[in-house]
Structures are given as C-alpha cells and as structure tokens.
Amino acid sequence: MATLAERPRLDDVLEDLGYRMTPPRRLLARLLGNKAGSFSAEAIIEELPTVGRATVYRTLKLLVDAGILCKTALPDGAPRYSFDDARHHHHVICANCGKVEEFRKPVVERLLRAMAKEVGGAVVGHRVELYITCADCL
Amino acid sequence: MATLAERPRLDDVLEDLGYRMTPPRRLLARLLGNKAGSFSAEAIIEELPTVGRATVYRTLKLLVDAGILCKTALPDGAPRYSFDDARHHHHVICANCGKVEEFRKPVVERLLRAMAKEVGGAVVGHRVELYITCADCL
DNA sequence: GCCATAAGTGATACAACATATCACTACTGA
DNA sequence: TCAGTAGTGATATGTTGTATCACTTATGGC
C-alpha cells in the first residue's frame, strides 16, 4: 500500500481528473487521507453523517476507477477499500483485522501468463489474494 | 470442473452426509445435476418457484460446505456457483458467459507458500482467479 | 406400519452493500 | 452575473444472502 507520505493528495487527484471540488468531497478526501489499512464504505458513511450514502459510494467508486483506491474482500466476502499504488499488484489481507498490504511478484505474473496460454481464450485479468493472520493479531 | 459423467449423484451425496432427502432437495439435486458451467443462486430460485429462497440458499451452502459446489465470483463481484472437484484448485472464469474451469498448478501453491514466509504472520488461505473471454465467446 | 422427534421448510423480516431516481443545489466558465 | 451541468441527499430499489419461527415431514425404533 502507498504510505501516507507517498500518497497523492486526494483533492488534487480529483481536481486533476476534472471533477469538481465540493464540500462533501473535501470531507471525504480529508478523512480518507488519514486512513491507514483498509476500511469499509459503511464506516466512512458513519464517520461522515453529513454526507449522503450515495455520495460516499459514488466518490469511492470514482477513486477506485481512478486507481487511487483498491477494492478487495475479506475471506467471508466483506468488501474493503484500501489505498492503491498505481502499479499492478496483489494483496495480502489479514483475515482478522482487515489490514491490506500489497505485493508485487513478477514470478506470479509470468506464471499466470504461461497458464493463460494453456487455456483457450483471451485473458482479461486475474486476481491473487493471500489471506493471513497478521503479526499484530497473533 | 467435474464433468457430468464424473459427477456424483447429488441426492446420494446428501444422503451420505446424513441429510434427509426431502422433495425440495430432490428438485434441487435434479436441477443442479443437469447444470453445466456456473449459475447464480437467483437463477435456481427462479427455476424452482415451488422451493423457497431460504431452502435454495441453505442447500447451496450445504453443498459448498460439502465440497460439491464451489462459490466463485465474476470480475464485477457477482457470485457464481459451479461444480467442484475435491482437490485444491483455482479457477479460470469466463468474464462474459460465467463458465468456470478449474486448474491445479503445484507451482502456484509453492509460490504462495514461499511468499507466505516473506510476510509476517500466519497464512490462513489464498485465492487465485484467472479471468478470460472463452473460446466460445470470442 | 406407527409414532415421536429432530430435521427440514417456506414466509417473511432483516442485514450488508450498493445503484437508480429525481428534485434540488452550487460550481464553473463565459 | 448567469446558464448549464455536475454534484448532492433522500429515498426507493436491487442483489445476495441470513435469522426467525411456526408448521410439516422424513426417519429410525418399535
């Protein structure tokens, strides 16, 4: 995951993408900017009672589409959002606390590419997730 | 995925697991026994209007827990059920028609095990999915 | 074959996560 | 300043399930 320091300022990102900077988006940007680990959409909604559900979901989607956030899931399927780093990567997810870390392994990509050749058809994507109980939770 | 011929008879499976064979379960077993590819729970519910939602979901869960069915997801997160083969495996999923195929690659397991050593914490599981557009859909 | 009983059932409510609609508001650029 | 469009929040709806609960029934022991 991009560290707090590396992270682009969210309001800048949204403006650069041509979106308007509105008070709800500023609130969201400020809140998300200080989030570590992963979070659920509902948590954000609770923390920003003045911002409507639809707006929270809309903005999260915007940020996911822009590659700023990444949407993953815990093993039980509960969706989590976390900051993303622009490069292609996979996730290590703590099944207990939901913390998400990224990893990049060219070997994984090579392997999947090789596998792609074996199956007929055109590969459109892949997903690799490793579930752990993190050191803090042990 | 287990081929139609290889597939154990579902009613036998349920009985062997100690479950009662009831009319709704027989209907489900007959319907699922003829399914190819993957399907959604809601499709089953529509096809069996005499069987309640709860019963369909309960029975699907039973079969997933028993290792007969496997629950995966399309790239957009829409859940799909497909027949499963008992051994550990991963999925190749057609993002267009939802067809699910299994693959086994010991290399993948070895790689994930190696990765597990690098991250702190205890590995509790993993998920690897390859999304394609299958030959039929091209 | 009968019966007790535990397992199973369906209707319905609820829950989590998200999108659609729509009248209203407020940025923004001209 | 002002028109036009992007954005907003309330609310309804959709999807995918799980919980509850009164009712029904399959099954094993006799």
Side-chain angles (χ1 to χ4, degrees), chain B residues 3 16-17 19 33 46 51 64 67 71 84-85 99-100 106-107 111 117 119 122 125 128:
Chain B
T3 65
D16 289 351
L17 289 168
Y19 295 112
E46 269 181 39
V51 179
V64 169
K71 194 178 167 185
D84 199 358
D85 150 326
K99 187 162 67 187
V100 175
V107 171
L111 198 63
K117 278 190 198 143
V119 294
V128 177

Side-chain angles (χ1 to χ4, degrees), chain A residues 4-136:
Chain A
L4 280 171
E6 286 165 358
R7 230 180 252 173
R9 289 196 52 226
L10 283 187
D11 30 15
D12 290 351
V13 172
L14 286 172
E15 282 212 290
D16 290 352
L17 289 169
Y19 296 111
R20 289 184 184 170
M21 271 320 298
T22 61
R25 285 188 181 157
R26 252 186 280 273
L27 281 172
L28 260 161
R30 208 173 58 193
L31 178 63
L32 295 185
N34 292 320
K35 285 269 173 207
S38 70
F39 45 89
S40 66
E42 296 296 329
I44 302 300
I45 290 164
E46 268 181 40
E47 288 176 68
L48 295 177
T50 61
V51 178
R53 295 174 57 72
T55 299
V56 170
Y57 277 108
R58 272 190 294 244
T59 309
L60 287 176
K61 194 172 196 310
L62 233 53
L63 292 170
V64 169
D65 290 348
I68 308 302
L69 293 181
C70 210
K71 193 178 170 186
T72 48
L74 299 185
D76 67 0
R80 306 291 294 180
Y81 294 85
S82 61
F83 276 85
D84 199 358
D85 149 326
R87 292 169 294 174
H88 178 74
H89 62 267
H90 301 295
H91 297 105
V92 181
I93 303 162
C94 176
N96 189 246
C97 69
K99 188 162 68 187
V100 175
E101 310 235 8
E102 298 178 358
F103 68 87
R104 255 171 303 281
K105 277 277 173 190
V107 170
V108 175
E109 313 307 323
R110 273 198 293 279
L111 198 63
L112 290 170
R113 207 152 46 229
M115 215 134 58
K117 277 188 199 142
E118 291 180 30
V119 294
V123 174
V124 301
H126 60 257
R127 179 203 306 272
V128 177
E129 278 160 14
L130 193 58
Y131 294 106
I132 65 166
T133 304
C134 74
D136 293 345

Side-chain angles (χ1 to χ4, degrees), chain B residues 22-35:
Chain B
T22 61
R25 285 188 180 155
R26 253 186 278 273
L27 281 172
L28 259 161
R30 209 172 57 192
L31 179 62
L32 295 185
N34 291 320
K35 285 267 173 207

Side-chain angles (χ1 to χ4, degrees), chain B residues 28 31-32 35-48 53 56-57 60 69-74 76-83 97-100:
Chain B
L28 259 161
L31 179 62
L32 295 185
K35 285 267 173 207
S38 68
F39 46 88
S40 67
E42 295 298 327
I44 303 299
I45 290 164
E46 269 181 39
E47 290 176 66
L48 295 177
R53 293 173 56 71
V56 170
Y57 276 109
L60 287 177
L69 293 181
C70 210
K71 194 178 167 185
T72 49
L74 299 184
D76 66 0
R80 306 292 291 183
Y81 295 85
S82 60
F83 277 84
C97 69
K99 187 162 67 187
V100 175

Side-chain angles (χ1 to χ4, degrees), chain B residues 97-117:
Chain B
C97 69
K99 187 162 67 187
V100 175
E101 310 235 8
E102 299 178 359
F103 67 87
R104 255 172 303 281
K105 277 275 171 189
V107 171
V108 174
E109 314 306 323
R110 274 200 291 279
L111 198 63
L112 290 170
R113 207 151 47 228
M115 215 136 55
K117 278 190 198 143

